[in-house]
Amino acid sequence: MSRGRLALLLFCVFPLLVRLSYHAGFEPTFDWKNDVVDAFVAVAVGFLSGGALLLLCGVLTPQMSVDALIGVVSLQAVPASIGAMLAQSQLGKSNEKEQEEKPTCYWDELFLMAVGALFVAFNVAPTEEVLLIAYRLSEWYGIALLLVSLLLMHAFVYAVEFRGQSDIPMGTPQWSVFLRFTVAGYVVALLVSLYVLWTFGRTDGLSTVEIIRVNLVLGFPAAIGAAAARLIL
Amino acid sequence: MDRADNAVDNHQATPVHDVPSAEWASAAIGLMMLVAAIGYFVYVSMAQTKSPPKITVAVLAIEAQEAGYLVRTRVSNNGTTTAAQLSLEGTLKTKTGEEQRSEVTLDYVSAGSETSAGFFFIADPRQGELKIRPVSYQDP
């Protein structure tokens, strides 16, 4: 993986963690300084736990160059630090008083979708199956995949309502919700998966049509991740 | 459940025209991008005649190394089908009549795309006759 792309990825993930800290972080903080500190903590946890696990699995060996060592651990630290940040929101639910309803505006919703898409896309993109499925995908199956992704995302929107955490006011017509949340959210998921594909070098040398194909294939799990993120976060 | 009650209390029915125009803009942009991408995808798929992989190999550079000579090539697939497990064979006929062979197998060269590969030879390819040809492939 190109070192420049990896550096860009690490650079982009940090502000994401800061914003995520506001939403679902270690403390109920509204102070951006606390959010930055929390983000650094998540990065540290990500690097340490990712590095420890890689060591345990025998991926890190003394024969590897320093460049390779740093690259492998940094790459693993990306999903690990996001996971560290999210762990509090999932496993720390015992502190009821800390779980205030943070106001989420429309752009926050899209942001959370992007985080969910990034998390899933990051874990799926390096696999070979993404390319294999994309190469075997015919046009009509590609369209069908897109429609199913949209449908599932839209269904998730209403699952959010059942949980009582809806941010969509009652009485909003279906098409308004569909366009503003589902379509916009799906495009966010597609853009995030395109970025992740580019970072992993999966788009290098491909023609435009092939890029769209691979993007659609990765966009399906990314869309599920995006929709689930709204439900969970 | 307390949280459900809070959620219901905080949200009144918002008429459609109260939605900020920025949200509509983002929805519109999203819709346009989707329609454009899908439209292009379908158009290209319909307009393309299905053809098997058409492989061309172009030599980029030849450089001398400790273990021999490296011939770097660019492999392009101009067809509309992806070639999987594409194996290429390079044959070098030296001035003394000796023949050297080198081969490589590429995982994927997708339709309309290119990738690069390298062949190592012991004799200098610049002094002999170098031919690189595709040998076989598999449908993905």
Side-chain angles (χ1 to χ4, degrees):
Chain A
M1 166 189 242
S2 151
R3 291 298 180 254
R5 295 186 194 185
L6 180 55
L8 181 67
L9 178 69
L10 293 170
F11 186 68
C12 290
V13 162
F14 188 74
L16 197 114
L17 287 172
V18 173
R19 186 68 193 162
L20 200 55
S21 162
Y22 165 75
H23 279 287
F26 298 115
E27 299 158 34
T29 53
F30 289 89
D31 177 8
W32 66 268
K33 287 198 272 291
N34 279 336
D35 288 337
V36 169
V37 169
D38 283 348
F40 276 121
V41 172
V43 168
V45 172
F47 268 97
L48 289 173
S49 58
L53 220 60
L54 287 169
L55 201 63
L56 215 63
C57 292
V59 175
L60 301 180
T61 60
Q63 288 87 22
M64 285 172 79
S65 66
V66 175
D67 172 66
L69 277 170
I70 296 178
V72 168
V73 177
S74 305
L75 193 59
Q76 189 60 42
V78 172
S81 49
I82 298 179
M85 186 63 79
L86 296 177
Q88 174 62 18
S89 82
Q90 295 310 297
L91 304 174
K93 279 224 177 352
S94 54
N95 293 331
E96 272 298 329
K97 62 174 173 61
E98 286 176 22
Q99 296 293 322
E100 308 158 25
E101 275 273 330
K102 303 225 182 81
T104 45
C105 69
Y106 175 74
W107 306 105
D108 286 337
E109 296 283 321
L110 289 189
F111 169 76
L112 292 178
M113 286 195 187
V115 171
L118 178 68
F119 195 67
V120 175
F122 201 87
N123 287 298
V124 176
T127 66
E128 195 190 318
E129 280 72 20
V130 175
L131 283 181
L132 183 58
I133 295 171
Y135 292 148
R136 301 171 70 153
L137 199 71
S138 78
E139 307 76 55
W140 302 114
Y141 280 118
I143 308 289
L145 192 60
L146 178 138
L147 292 174
V148 168
S149 308
L150 280 173
L151 201 72
L152 278 173
M153 278 193 83
H154 198 60
F156 264 92
V157 166
Y158 288 97
V160 171
E161 268 195 18
F162 292 140
R163 286 277 292 279
Q165 291 181 44
S166 168
D167 297 291
I168 300 162
M170 298 185 301
T172 323
Q174 280 254 5
W175 58 268
S176 163
V177 174
F178 180 74
L179 282 179
R180 285 184 299 126
F181 287 92
T182 308
V183 167
Y186 182 57
V187 170
V188 165
L190 282 182
L191 289 173
V192 166
S193 27
L194 186 64
Y195 173 64
V196 173
L197 284 169
W198 175 80
T199 302
F200 281 103
R202 292 294 194 207
T203 58
D204 293 346
L206 289 189
S207 62
T208 313
V209 176
E210 296 295 325
I211 292 178
I212 295 178
R213 255 200 258 260
V214 179
N215 201 6
L216 278 180
V217 170
L218 187 60
F220 176 68
I224 305 295
R230 279 191 74 214
L231 194 68
I232 294 170
L233 297 176
Chain B
M1 217 171 87
D2 282 345
R3 285 176 85 184
D5 287 346
N6 285 339
V8 165
D9 286 339
N10 289 340
H11 299 120
Q12 303 109 30
T14 306
V16 167
H17 60 262
D18 270 12
V19 170
S21 54
E23 292 189 22
W24 286 122
S26 104
I29 293 172
L31 196 64
M32 275 191 318
M33 288 173 71
L34 262 188
V35 170
I38 297 314
Y40 179 72
F41 189 56
V42 173
Y43 163 72
V44 169
S45 305
M46 307 279 264
Q48 261 178 8
T49 43
K50 290 274 172 273
S51 71
K54 290 197 187 85
I55 308 292
T56 45
V57 183
V59 173
L60 290 177
I62 301 177
E63 55 183 67
Q65 291 185 351
E66 271 176 28
Y69 291 85
L70 170 63
V71 178
R72 286 194 297 119
T73 60
R74 183 178 58 231
V75 182
S76 316
N77 178 0
N78 295 314
T80 58
T81 319
T82 299
Q85 300 298 305
L86 176 71
S87 77
L88 300 165
E89 185 188 58
T91 324
L92 175 61
K93 269 212 188 78
T94 60
K95 290 216 171 84
T96 55
E98 190 195 327
E99 220 181 58
Q100 289 180 12
R101 280 214 174 97
S102 182
E103 47 187 56
V104 72
T105 307
L106 302 171
D107 284 338
Y108 294 108
V109 187
S110 66
S113 317
E114 57 188 36
T115 185
S116 43
F119 299 84
F120 291 95
F121 293 100
I122 301 174
D124 190 349
R126 291 169 290 207
Q127 313 277 332
E129 200 188 313
L130 179 66
K131 280 208 194 92
I132 303 179
R133 68 173 194 102
V135 173
S136 62
Y137 77 94
Q138 204 181 57
D139 278 329

